[in-house]
Amino acid sequence: MTKHFKSIKLILGDQLNVKHPWFDELDNNVLFVLMEVRSETDYVKHHIQKVVAIFEAMRKFAEILCEKGHQVKYFKINDSDNQQSFTKNLESLSQQVRAQEIHYQLPDEYRLDEELKSLSEKIGLPVFPSESNHFLTSREELKNLFEGKKTFLMETFYRKMRVKHQVLVDSANQPIGGKWNFDQENRKKVPKNHHIITTQLKTKDCSEVYDDILKAGVQTIGNIIPTQFHWTTTRTEAIELLEEFVEKALPLFGTLQDAMTEKHWYLYHSRLSFAMNVKLISPLEVIRRVEKAYYDEPERYELNQIEGFIRQILGWREYMRGIYWAKMPEYASLNFFNHERKLPNWFWTGETKMNCLKHAINQSLEQAYAHHIQRLMVTGNFALLAGIHPDEVDQWYLGIYIDAFEWVEITNTRGMSQFADGGIVGSKPYVSSASYIDKMSDYCQNCHYKKELKIGEGACPFNSLYWNFFDAHQEKLKSNPRLGMMLNVWNKMEPDQKTNLLQQAAYYLDKIETL
Ligand code: FAD
Ligand code: DLZ
Ligand code: SF4
């Protein structure tokens, strides 16, 4: 006979926080439910490693809840009673166990927020949302900070967060080290002959989950070796990775955070984004651990490394979430430059002669990962210069990265990278010619194209596309104080030179599929 439960509590695949108050006490009236469902695997074509990581983490989380004595119903993707949607499964489960109410934690994504808001009406039971406690700022607090403002600078937000959470501030709420921001010290290339000593990949066998996904016929992108899976899928693994990061990579994190190299795919980056985004580990835990490293051993951990890292989490990560909730759903259709082009097919195969793009894309297909500057200044930069429709760009980023969840993907992609929001997230479009990519990487050395050539046979496409971008969007960019200098350079260029650059760009755009 089926057991009866007063309440069903839904746990989404990115709400795997064992420290949530829901799990503080055992309650026999509560049935927790987790579901592997096609509505989530199919809203975009995800990287195979992302689906494996989420299912593996969900299954391990359910096991931990059971071990603690909680009651759990887990829908695996191929279970015969799985109707493949949150609403349908909740409807049948609530009838089966005669539940009187349903609870959920506020989701991080607008689409699911809307779906869960209409649960009560669809199922005919009272439904109670509760705070997830997963961020350093509640949705209400964000609303008050962002509502009604056209722009709200990340730097202003970040300083408020430093003071609010007492991170790297003194008793007068002034920044430790006398500066809020050490970015100027953090723009170095990997030095020649530098020996990279960083975190290791710890692997495990995820074949069982992988086989289930294959059997279900979920369409995915990218590659995987299921027997050597390295993404962290438990809290214990996430804490181990954090410790290893602090020990090995943090001492150089800031200095080399913008550097790119063919020699190493994550360099001194933490690879903690997936664990944080599915809430195996909390942002404050990570921040406090890194802050402690500085206070314990200031001679080993310079402030620029520490502050640079903390700003990404306390600043950028929380700020992006703030913009998301302040501006959705309109944000998802912004297209400031009216870009219309399709994403070239080689974004899905890595088959391009441009070495920077070949490297960043192949790495993304192999590892479901690229670090920030690869995402922003290689793939994102090219997509913006080439005038790709932001919907196409969003689909790619939302699918391919292990850490891609809409609240943080769309604000970074449509906002920071594509400037499709006209300057809500960033104060200027992030575009560059070959010179920036060459300055920060070793990609240009082995490229089919010549970084120093702007026109003619073998000219680097970034060079002409860069000027073409300024020419095409003069009207929209001319009032931007941060772009005045580049527009001046463009406007003062010899007419012949301008014509040649524009012709070169048109030629490349015409044969974009073969670049
Ligand atoms: P580290 O370099 O070690 O940084 C530490 C942490 O800081 C990250 O784990 C992350 O939580 C946080 N962080 C750093 N930069 C950002 C940022 N701009 N916004 C929010 N958090 C940040 N991050 C995602 O988590 N999901 C995404 O879908 C995502 N899409 C992106 C798309 C584009 C076009 C760009 C330019 C950036 C995107 N980012 C995204 C931000 C950033 O690239 C990743 O967080 C980072 O590369 C993850 O690797 P890591 O954990 O090794 O990061
Ligand atoms: C991304 C994802 C995938 C691929 N699959 C599931 C799933 O089967 N079940 C689930 O609960 N969550 C999944 N997720 C994560 C959700 O899409 C995530 O909860 C939303 O993106 C909200 O941020
Ligand atoms: Fe990229 Fe141009 Fe450098 Fe080649 S030369 S790696 S295309 S920036």
Side-chain angles (χ1 to χ4, degrees):
M1 204 183 80
T2 314
K3 223 178 141 214
H4 296 167
F5 292 89
K6 180 170 174 252
S7 316
I8 291 177
K9 293 191 171 180
L10 170 68
I11 303 166
L12 296 173
D14 63 350
Q15 297 181 332
L16 309 181
N17 169 22
V18 79
K19 298 194 160 229
H20 189 277
W22 269 9
F23 312 117
D24 284 352
E25 280 168 22
L26 294 179
D27 185 344
N28 270 334
N29 292 312
V30 173
L31 178 64
F32 291 106
V33 58
L34 293 101
M35 312 175 192
E36 297 169 4
V37 279
R38 293 304 291 263
S39 58
E40 299 309 297
T41 59
D42 295 2
Y43 64 75
V44 72
K45 220 188 237 190
H46 301 279
H47 198 293
I48 179 65
Q49 292 187 35
K50 181 178 169 193
V51 187
V52 168
I54 289 175
F55 285 11
E56 180 78 16
M58 286 171 66
R59 290 182 189 189
K60 295 262 175 63
F61 188 78
E63 275 170 29
I64 287 169
L65 292 188
C66 290
E67 278 163 20
K68 284 176 176 285
H70 294 288
Q71 312 282 320
V72 180
K73 164 72 184 170
Y74 192 98
F75 288 91
K76 285 190 175 173
I77 193 81
N78 296 312
D79 283 351
S80 56
D81 61 342
N82 187 344
Q83 295 176 69
Q84 307 296 345
S85 104
F86 291 127
T87 305
K88 284 188 188 151
N89 282 344
L90 282 171
E91 188 168 17
S92 53
L93 185 65
S94 57
Q95 283 166 6
Q96 203 188 331
V97 303
R98 306 223 187 133
Q100 294 162 33
E101 57 191 38
I102 293 177
H103 296 251
Y104 68 87
Q105 297 170 31
L106 287 175
D108 293 336
E109 195 179 308
Y110 186 85
R111 174 184 61 90
L112 276 179
D113 202 42
E114 291 297 298
E115 177 176 343
L116 296 177
K117 270 185 202 159
S118 64
L119 257 186
S120 180
E121 199 184 310
K122 291 199 179 118
I123 297 183
L125 284 178
V127 175
F128 302 97
S130 50
E131 250 306 329
S132 69
N133 302 344
H134 290 152
F135 291 88
L136 294 157
T137 24
S138 69
R139 276 209 217 159
E140 197 54 36
E141 202 181 340
L142 289 172
K143 213 168 151 197
N144 295 337
L145 278 173
F146 286 87
E147 211 166 56
K149 300 199 176 79
K150 172 146 185 350
T151 51
F152 187 72
L153 288 180
M154 196 307 270
E155 194 61 31
T156 317
F157 175 82
Y158 170 56
R159 290 181 193 186
K160 272 184 193 289
M161 290 294 117
R162 288 267 294 270
V163 173
K164 180 184 164 200
H165 295 282
Q166 292 291 292
V167 177
L168 295 180
V169 289
D170 62 20
S171 53
N173 288 334
Q174 290 307 303
I176 299 280
K179 282 199 292 186
W180 292 99
N181 185 321
F182 289 79
D183 234 8
Q184 291 300 336
E185 294 163 41
N186 289 356
R187 291 183 182 141
K188 306 247 167 23
K189 191 175 182 151
V190 179
K192 269 211 174 89
N193 304 324
H194 172 75
H195 180 52
I196 299 164
I197 303 177
T198 187
T199 51
Q200 299 286 307
L201 296 178
K202 303 228 166 69
T203 63
K204 62 200 161 196
D205 189 350
C206 287
S207 302
E208 197 179 316
V209 169
Y210 175 67
D211 291 345
D212 284 353
I213 294 166
L214 279 194
K215 188 172 162 210
V218 175
Q219 298 296 301
T220 57
I221 48 173
N223 305 325
I224 184 169
I225 307 174
T227 50
Q228 292 170 39
F229 195 73
H230 62 75
W231 291 105
T232 52
T233 50
T234 64
R235 179 169 165 77
T236 310
E237 288 171 3
I239 291 169
E240 276 169 19
L241 178 60
L242 171 62
E243 286 305 319
E244 212 202 345
F245 167 73
V246 169
E247 182 55 32
K248 295 197 181 143
L250 184 59
L252 273 180
F253 174 86
T255 308
L256 295 179
Q257 79 182 101
D258 287 0
M260 299 177 282
T261 171
E262 287 184 319
K263 297 192 189 91
H264 205 283
W265 63 269
Y266 54 91
L267 211 58
Y268 293 94
H269 293 273
S270 68
R271 292 182 287 123
L272 281 166
S273 51
F274 175 76
M276 266 189 281
N277 290 355
V278 300
K279 324 300 177 344
L280 294 173
I281 192 164
S282 85
L284 196 58
E285 263 178 297
V286 176
I287 290 168
R288 291 284 182 233
R289 179 64 190 92
V290 167
E291 199 187 16
K292 182 175 179 309
Y294 170 71
Y295 288 130
D296 287 353
E297 291 182 84
E299 63 295 337
R300 181 154 183 245
Y301 296 100
E302 296 158 309
L303 203 46
N304 66 308
Q305 324 292 353
I306 302 293
E307 190 281 318
F309 185 77
I310 287 179
R311 178 150 31 91
Q312 306 310 318
I313 299 176
L314 186 60
W316 281 112
R317 188 170 185 271
E318 295 285 319
Y319 174 77
M320 290 309 199
R321 179 165 169 270
I323 299 279
Y324 183 76
W325 285 108
K327 304 292 177 188
M328 281 296 280
E330 298 76 21
Y331 203 84
S333 52
L334 297 180
N335 185 358
F336 180 68
F337 293 122
N338 297 321
H339 281 162
E340 289 296 335
R341 198 178 301 278
K342 263 181 68 62
L343 200 65
N345 194 46
W346 43 259
F347 262 78
W348 304 100
T349 63
E351 287 166 16
T352 164
K353 299 190 282 296
M354 291 181 279
N355 197 36
C356 51
L357 282 152
K358 181 160 80 186
H359 190 81
I361 294 170
N362 277 315
Q363 175 191 313
S364 304
L365 291 167
E366 286 301 317
Q367 307 292 357
Y369 179 92
H371 68 70
H372 187 71
I373 294 299
Q374 293 176 304
R375 297 186 203 195
L376 187 66
M377 297 311 294
V378 178
T379 39
N381 186 8
F382 182 86
L384 178 53
L385 292 178
I388 311 294
H389 195 297
D391 285 356
E392 294 258 315
V393 189
D394 263 334
Q395 291 271 309
W396 188 79
Y397 279 95
L398 186 58
I400 203 159
Y401 290 120
I402 192 79
D403 51 31
F405 295 88
E406 194 189 63
W407 63 272
V408 56
E409 175 281 323
I410 201 169
T411 38
N412 269 294
T413 304
R414 202 170 273 261
M416 182 188 278
S417 159
Q418 299 301 296
F419 204 75
D421 63 3
I424 297 172
V425 166
S427 52
K428 71 171 175 79
Y430 282 95
V431 284
S432 84
S433 62
S435 66
Y436 176 85
I437 296 174
D438 185 45
K439 191 173 121 211
M440 297 312 300
S441 78
D442 51 18
Y443 294 148
C444 297
Q445 295 158 20
N446 298 321
C447 187
H448 164 88
Y449 295 99
K450 307 252 175 317
K451 63 177 192 226
E452 62 284 353
L453 290 187
K454 295 186 178 61
I455 50 170
E457 180 80 22
C460 167
F462 279 88
N463 293 335
S464 50
L465 292 176
Y466 178 73
W467 291 115
N468 181 63
F469 173 83
F470 281 103
D471 184 66
H473 300 303
Q474 288 222 35
E475 274 311 302
K476 287 188 167 147
L477 299 177
K478 71 180 180 204
S479 57
N480 187 315
R482 298 189 65 190
L483 296 177
M485 205 175 84
M486 289 327 280
L487 278 170
N488 264 342
V489 174
W490 173 244
N491 287 327
K492 286 188 182 149
M493 233 180 249
E494 291 297 325
D496 277 1
Q497 200 182 352
K498 282 170 118 175
T499 308
N500 288 340
L501 281 167
L502 294 180
Q503 278 176 355
Q504 183 77 40
Y507 170 75
Y508 277 150
L509 288 175
D510 195 41
K511 53 180 236 150
I512 194 166
E513 289 292 348
T514 61
L515 280 180

